[in-house]
Amino acid sequence: MSAIVGIYHINHEPIPSEHGMNIMKALELYRADRAHSWHRNPVFLGCHAQWITPESSREQLPYYDERRQLAITADAIIDNREELFERLQVEPPFRKTATDSELILLAYEKWGTDAPKFLIGDFAFMIWDERKRLLFGARDFSGSRTLYFHRTPDRFAFCTTIKPLFTLPYISNQLNDRWLAEFLANPGRIETVDASSTVYRNIEQVPPAHSITVEGGKVRFTRYCTFTATEPLRLKSDGEYEEAFRDVFQDAVSSRLRTARQVGSYLSGGLDSGSVVSFAAKALQKENKRLFTYSYIPEEDFIDWTSKNRMADETPFIRSTVRHVGNINDHYLDFKGKSPLSEVGEWLETLEMPYKFIENSFWLGGIYEKAGQQGVGVLLNGGRGNYSISWGPALDYYATLLKRFNLLRLYREISMYSNNVGIGRRRLLTQIRKRAFPKTLNSQDPYSSPMLINPEFAERMEIYEWLERHGIDRNGMKLSRGNPIESRAKPFDEFINWTNSGVSGTKMSLRHGIWYRDPTNDLRVIRFCLSVPVKQFVQNGMDRALIRRSTADLLPDKVRLNYRVRGIQGADAVHRMTREWPSFIHELERLCEDTRMKELLNIPVVRAAIRKIRETPDPKSVYDGEFTMLMRGLIVYRFVKKLEGR
């Protein structure tokens, strides 16, 4: 794991030595096991390395291969090493010592700019091809690692993080008004629909699933990974699908355990993280290592206000998984004293940009901190599981059956599903009918979310037209969602859904020296899941059926067959802010008087929301539009103030 940097003078002017020194010095904010640079005009490459894998302690980055006349700097863990050894015909003695960056370089030598198509893992890298006089790099398919850059006709500079680029005298930190307008106008989770843009006008980023080539003064992007043409998998029985799933998922989990340090995992009471933990603990036992798990729980004095089918404290389900799986050192963390408000400053410093995951910020950061204290090098999670291993939206599948008039099967499925979830068949059929024939839905207020952005700023930037062109309405919802059954690959091809998790994962990993890894996001797992027939994911009244069946001996039935209760993280976020509430309100009032904020924010709406929540905070308001809007406004306020030095 590394923070990488580079400078390329396209005009062939010498690179001043202080430019390289300053950009490397800016990375000293992060811990490093080794920092090194390589310079041969017109290129400077640098690497601020943290050793995570056993091979990385021997890895020389940047690395220059004299024979091939190729130089590389990389932030990468490659997971399909054995496959690459065979494809690249690597001699057995070298396989034991080969580093991930050497594998990337060999792949580039064999396949050229097609090399990223053959790589599986989390990566961002840049290669200087001295013979061809070009700079080539790529970012993994879901953007798990960040790669920012600045370009002019004469110069190109890149870095894993943003702020080091501002040490170069020709790069200013001006705000990108369009990015900021979109952040404020879109009440949904997506920060921007343009995956190449950033909050800074002069800084871009390589989009997920893209490579970048800088040659002859021109910069071009190439998308190298899509999912729309996945070949269907035909097996003979349910059991064969389950066995095939276990094989591919075990490979994905095991390849992410490659560290010389301890292995940790986030663990909730659900299927995704539970499945990751069960496969990981089993594999680690063979290495005589235990898995460290970290579970967020609410503060002790929190009173659960959530509905009967929701659960703020998932401890009973978590403990059930821990007992059943074994080989686990479990930790239950309430992060006493932390809140969404207390963590704003640290998150802004780390992310270098405003953010939206407010109610989860305090426990995400807390888990990194605790895991770092315990010597963890890899922190597993199951963040993409809903789209891969535990996909299986029953009601949407039943809507498909209804549209096809497959009524006998629909009746049978609904009867079993009704028993599982405890909902009457008539009520289920009403929901299914609405999904099958959405035109019968009653029209809703298209602008129900409170608008945080100043209407004049929005009009000047034409931001709502911009969002609409990208299929997003004023509530942050997709204008045309389509049936999830008929467009299974769409969430993976729309990589804008993943950009914010890549930002937090990369920068938190650098801050704490821990690599955040998600086996449910493994390219092999995703392609496998997309190839499996839909009826394997929904059958016999069972949603998420493939993972439920495949973990029959790996997870307790309390978790595996739980249909009626779902965990809800961050439910105590407002409760945690009770002691800070007066200062929260006071800061919001100062925000309303700030000249710069008056240009950006809808101050009358902000004032109305303040009046609504001014008194004793209601813990239930954590998911209300007004609270979310005010927290986002405060985050932007602090970000802009700090940027402008006020």
Side-chain angles (χ1 to χ4, degrees):
M1 179 174 69
S2 311
I4 60 175
V5 298
I7 305 169
Y8 174 31
H9 278 190
I10 300 169
N11 59 8
H12 301 290
E13 287 185 359
I15 299 172
S17 59
E18 62 268 22
H19 288 189
M21 291 171 54
N22 290 340
I23 202 170
M24 287 293 291
K25 187 173 179 58
L27 291 175
E28 292 178 5
L29 171 68
Y30 311 109
R31 65 181 74 178
D33 295 298
R34 180 187 293 144
H36 187 64
S37 62
W38 176 86
H39 182 197
R40 180 176 294 182
N41 274 328
V43 174
F44 171 92
L45 300 178
C47 181
H48 196 79
Q50 297 176 348
W51 297 339
I52 300 295
T53 66
E55 298 83 10
S56 59
S57 63
R58 302 187 297 270
E59 195 164 29
Q60 180 182 335
L61 284 171
Y63 171 70
Y64 179 68
D65 187 310
E66 290 280 359
R67 182 177 67 82
R68 299 178 176 90
Q69 292 184 274
L70 299 173
I72 184 172
T73 188
D75 173 27
I77 294 183
I78 302 301
D79 294 323
N80 62 329
R81 287 168 58 87
E82 295 301 322
E83 177 191 5
L84 288 174
F85 288 150
E86 294 299 322
R87 282 178 172 268
L88 297 169
Q89 299 181 328
V90 175
E91 294 295 328
F94 180 63
R95 297 182 184 192
K96 297 179 180 179
T97 60
T99 65
D100 290 332
S101 58
E102 288 172 328
L103 274 177
I104 294 171
L105 214 55
L106 288 172
Y108 175 77
E109 182 186 31
K110 180 176 179 63
W111 295 301
T113 56
D114 283 334
K117 296 179 181 179
F118 300 91
L119 304 178
I120 295 175
D122 302 341
F123 59 82
F125 65 85
M126 294 295 283
I127 294 171
W128 169 241
D129 189 327
E130 200 164 37
R131 288 174 179 162
K132 296 182 179 178
R133 310 299 289 179
L134 67 82
L135 197 63
F136 173 79
R139 192 175 173 198
D140 67 71
F141 84 96
S142 65
S144 299
R145 310 303 291 178
T146 51
L147 188 57
Y148 301 101
F149 65 91
H150 167 84
R151 59 170 159 173
T152 69
D154 296 328
R155 299 184 182 95
F156 182 90
F158 67 87
C159 188
T160 301
T161 58
I162 296 173
K163 290 179 182 176
L165 293 170
F166 295 139
T167 66
L168 298 174
Y170 46 86
I171 305 178
S172 64
N173 63 349
Q174 292 174 288
L175 280 175
N176 181 347
D177 284 347
R178 176 169 292 283
W179 190 99
L180 197 59
E182 190 175 335
F183 180 94
L184 295 171
N186 185 350
R189 291 278 183 170
I190 296 173
E191 288 150 0
T192 175
V193 295
D194 181 359
S196 65
S197 71
T198 77
V199 69
Y200 298 101
R201 185 183 303 174
N202 297 309
I203 304 295
E204 300 172 72
Q205 60 181 318
V206 178
H210 280 71
S211 63
I212 182 172
T213 304
V214 187
E215 183 179 20
K218 296 181 179 179
V219 176
R220 69 177 184 274
F221 297 111
T222 302
R223 181 162 188 174
Y224 65 84
C225 179
T226 61
F227 296 90
T228 50
T230 304
E231 195 71 26
L233 178 66
R234 305 298 181 194
L235 300 179
K236 295 179 180 178
S237 67
D238 290 351
E240 288 189 7
Y241 282 107
E242 293 157 23
E243 183 179 358
F245 168 79
R246 285 190 292 268
D247 287 344
V248 72
F249 193 57
Q250 187 66 69
D251 284 345
V253 172
S254 297
S255 63
R256 284 164 173 75
L257 306 180
R258 189 163 56 98
T259 179
R261 295 193 259 153
Q262 299 294 339
V263 177
S265 182
Y266 167 68
L267 179 59
S268 71
L271 273 172
D272 296 331
S273 64
S275 297
V276 170
V277 163
S278 66
F279 280 79
K282 180 177 68 174
L284 286 171
Q285 196 162 25
K286 298 176 183 177
E287 303 176 24
N288 293 316
K289 293 175 73 171
R290 290 178 71 84
L291 178 67
F292 289 68
T293 63
Y294 304 95
S295 304
Y296 146 73
I297 58 175
E299 285 189 316
E300 188 176 2
D301 60 346
F302 172 68
I303 299 173
D304 192 348
W305 53 264
T306 59
S307 61
K308 65 178 182 179
N309 63 341
R310 291 287 185 174
M311 183 170 52
D313 186 352
E314 301 179 66
T315 300
F317 288 83
I318 296 168
R319 290 194 187 279
S320 178
T321 295
V322 169
R323 286 193 300 268
H324 188 92
V325 172
N327 196 41
I328 290 173
N329 288 350
D330 48 327
H331 302 84
Y332 304 86
L333 309 170
D334 67 0
F335 307 111
K336 189 174 180 61
K338 290 182 180 289
S339 75
L341 187 63
S342 70
E343 305 306 293
V344 170
E346 185 170 318
W347 274 106
L348 285 176
E349 180 66 27
T350 300
L351 297 182
E352 310 174 292
M353 59 186 285
Y355 61 94
K356 291 187 173 183
F357 50 92
I358 296 156
E359 66 276 6
N360 296 327
S361 59
F362 63 91
W363 63 262
L364 284 172
I367 285 177
Y368 271 105
E369 187 177 343
K370 181 68 174 179
Q373 293 168 358
Q374 297 187 319
V376 167
V378 168
L379 185 62
L380 304 174
N381 75 96
R384 304 279 167 81
N386 285 342
Y387 297 93
S388 59
I389 66 169
S390 65
W391 184 80
L395 296 185
D396 291 300
Y397 177 60
Y398 300 154
T400 302
L401 294 179
L402 179 59
K403 287 169 67 176
R404 294 174 180 172
F405 293 98
N406 194 339
L407 301 183
L408 287 176
R409 182 166 187 176
L410 176 63
Y411 177 80
R412 178 176 173 272
E413 285 284 346
I414 289 178
S415 297
M416 290 186 286
Y417 187 70
S418 173
N419 290 331
N420 285 336
V421 300
I423 300 175
R425 284 178 292 180
R426 181 173 297 180
R427 182 177 161 194
L428 284 174
L429 192 56
T430 299
Q431 296 179 36
I432 292 164
R433 189 183 300 115
K434 289 180 178 180
R435 290 171 188 255
F437 308 108
K439 290 183 180 180
T440 63
L441 284 169
N442 294 327
S443 60
Q444 298 176 346
D445 179 4
Y447 312 134
S448 60
S449 297
M451 293 294 116
L452 177 58
I453 190 171
N454 182 326
E456 294 180 0
F457 181 39
E459 185 177 357
R460 176 164 58 86
M461 301 306 300
E462 299 181 339
I463 203 64
Y464 289 120
E465 294 82 357
W466 167 259
L467 289 171
E468 187 172 338
R469 284 200 299 273
H470 288 82
I472 295 176
D473 68 16
R474 296 196 183 194
N475 288 318
M477 305 299 290
K478 290 286 186 181
L479 289 169
S480 178
R481 300 184 198 178
N483 189 316
I485 302 298
E486 298 165 358
S487 54
R488 295 167 60 190
K490 196 171 183 180
F492 296 103
D493 279 325
E494 292 179 339
F495 45 78
I496 59 171
N497 295 307
W498 317 126
T499 52
N500 54 4
S501 60
V503 170
S504 61
T506 299
K507 296 177 184 180
M508 288 297 283
S509 71
L510 290 174
R511 183 183 181 91
H512 296 280
I514 299 171
W515 196 293
Y516 197 53
R517 309 226 61 204
D518 183 359
T520 69
N521 192 46
D522 184 281
L523 201 53
R524 296 163 293 191
V525 169
I526 293 168
R527 285 176 172 155
F528 172 83
C529 290
L530 291 175
S531 74
V532 172
V534 172
K535 65 180 181 180
Q536 288 296 321
F537 293 95
V538 184
Q539 64 172 242
N540 300 325
M542 184 184 290
D543 64 356
R544 309 165 83 185
L546 182 60
I547 189 68
R548 293 187 195 274
R549 294 171 6 236
S550 300
T551 55
D553 298 322
L554 299 172
L555 286 176
D557 286 352
K558 180 184 180 79
V559 173
R560 186 177 69 89
L561 300 179
N562 173 32
Y563 295 90
R564 305 196 180 194
V565 182
R566 293 286 180 91
I568 181 169
Q569 283 117 19
D572 65 337
V574 169
H575 166 80
R576 290 170 176 271
M577 288 175 57
T578 301
R579 55 188 168 271
E580 306 165 291
W581 206 253
S583 61
F584 174 52
I585 297 298
H586 182 61
E587 187 171 6
L588 289 172
E589 289 173 337
R590 292 203 311 272
L591 174 158
C592 291
E593 300 301 325
D594 186 271
T595 303
R596 184 75 170 103
M597 290 301 103
K598 289 179 180 179
E599 298 172 359
L600 301 175
L601 305 185
N602 191 343
I603 298 300
V605 169
V606 172
R607 289 189 188 277
I610 294 172
R611 287 194 297 270
K612 184 176 178 180
I613 68 167
R614 179 185 299 277
E615 304 306 325
T616 305
D618 179 2
K620 298 179 183 178
S621 66
V622 62
Y623 299 111
D624 286 354
E626 285 86 358
F627 172 73
T628 299
M629 179 190 68
L630 290 175
M631 279 298 299
R632 290 180 181 176
L634 182 143
I635 287 167
V636 168
Y637 174 51
R638 287 200 190 178
F639 177 80
V640 173
K641 269 183 65 176
K642 185 172 183 180
L643 184 67
E644 296 178 351
R646 295 190 284 119

